[in-house]
Amino acid sequence: MENSKNRVQSLGYFEQRDGVNWKLTRISDELADLDLILQEAKTGRAFVKVGIGGNSRYHVASGGACC
């Protein structure tokens, strides 16, 4: 579980302090529900992707986070 948490945290999209946490809910002695609780960081990043195909088709996608 700690390796998974560290990998998600290393993506840089979540708060460094308490931005990635596990919530464990016991269902029985052998079963549990795991929830990964995330708090998004203010990255200030944005991206735009444009592609042009050979048959006059084009695709535009944009997204990101700000502030």
Side-chain angles (χ1 to χ4, degrees):
M1 284 179 28
E2 195 64 27
N3 284 341
S4 296
K5 177 183 171 180
N6 290 337
R7 286 181 180 178
V8 170
Q9 198 167 29
S10 71
L11 295 173
Y13 297 117
F14 309 103
E15 292 291 338
Q16 288 298 311
R17 181 182 167 117
D18 296 328
V20 180
N21 289 297
W22 286 107
K23 177 185 173 191
L24 183 121
T25 306
R26 282 275 176 206
I27 296 172
S28 69
D29 290 341
E30 297 178 1
L31 298 174
D33 275 339
L34 295 173
D35 293 313
L36 190 58
I37 308 300
L38 305 170
Q39 182 178 0
E40 188 175 0
K42 297 177 182 176
T43 63
R45 297 181 201 163
F47 68 89
V48 175
K49 178 181 174 181
V50 177
I52 300 174
N55 57 0
S56 300
R57 291 185 183 178
Y58 65 91
H59 175 76
V60 177
S62 65
C66 178
C67 311

